[in-house]
Amino acid sequence: ASGTLDTLGGQLRTALGGLNDLGAQAGSAPVTGTGIVVTVTDADSASGEVQDTDLRALVNALWIAGAKAVSVNGQRLSTRSSLRNSGSVIRVNGVSLSSPYVVNAVGPSVGTWSATVSGGVFRTSASTYGFTYSEAYPGSVTVPSGTSGMLALTYARPAGKDQQ
């Protein structure tokens, strides 16, 4: 009986580990690890305000560099998230954000983001429009879990037995 319990315990630990990995990928679980914090700040002039396209370029560069999870001002990004200008603010997951924009990304190689094509687009925009950014590499970075509304599927339905 002891061997069976040990086997079941091992299977449970494996299943829970897989569940945690899936939660991190889907955005339903927070992710903590090696990463980067990029802080992006508007310039003093109206022409130097950070735009949704600028943050999208930065976020795309982080994904390309191997980010496992990304957030902007505490809002977890997923495949269902969008960064959009709404007047003079940027909205993500239905939440209005303002400068400074603090972008957290977890992944062992996210520090290479600026070498990507998207990173180049972001750096060029910063240079052209005068907004600033800084990078920090704390010992540990946390990206929070997403909101339940961000994770809910609106149109997908489970397949019935006749559709499998």
Side-chain angles (χ1 to χ4, degrees):
S2 175
T4 302
L5 286 177
D6 288 342
T7 300
L8 289 175
Q11 290 173 339
L12 177 61
R13 283 188 295 281
T14 299
L16 290 175
L19 183 62
N20 287 338
D21 289 345
L22 289 173
Q25 290 172 20
S28 64
V31 178
T32 300
T34 302
I36 187 173
V37 177
V38 182
T39 303
V40 185
T41 306
D42 288 341
D44 290 335
S45 67
S47 63
E49 288 182 355
V50 177
Q51 301 296 307
D52 55 355
T53 53
D54 304 320
L55 286 182
R56 277 198 303 269
L58 172 60
V59 167
N60 285 338
L62 290 164
W63 288 124
I64 292 165
K68 296 178 182 177
V70 178
S71 67
V72 179
N73 287 19
Q75 291 296 311
R76 176 74 174 263
L77 300 180
S78 77
T79 57
R80 300 194 64 223
S81 299
S82 64
L83 288 159
R84 296 271 186 250
N85 274 35
S86 179
S88 62
V89 298
I90 297 176
R91 293 178 57 86
V92 63
N93 298 335
V95 176
S96 296
L97 310 179
S98 60
S99 177
Y101 302 98
V102 179
V103 181
N104 288 9
V106 174
S109 60
V110 292
T112 64
W113 71 270
S114 65
T116 68
V117 171
S118 292
V121 169
F122 174 82
R123 289 183 288 112
T124 298
S125 289
S127 175
T128 301
Y129 299 108
F131 62 83
T132 60
Y133 67 94
S134 63
E135 300 175 49
Y137 297 89
S140 180
V141 174
T142 297
V143 173
S145 61
T147 63
S148 59
M150 178 193 93
L151 302 170
L153 297 177
T154 308
Y155 300 105
R157 301 282 183 257
K161 289 184 180 180
D162 60 329
Q163 297 172 330
Q164 293 179 350

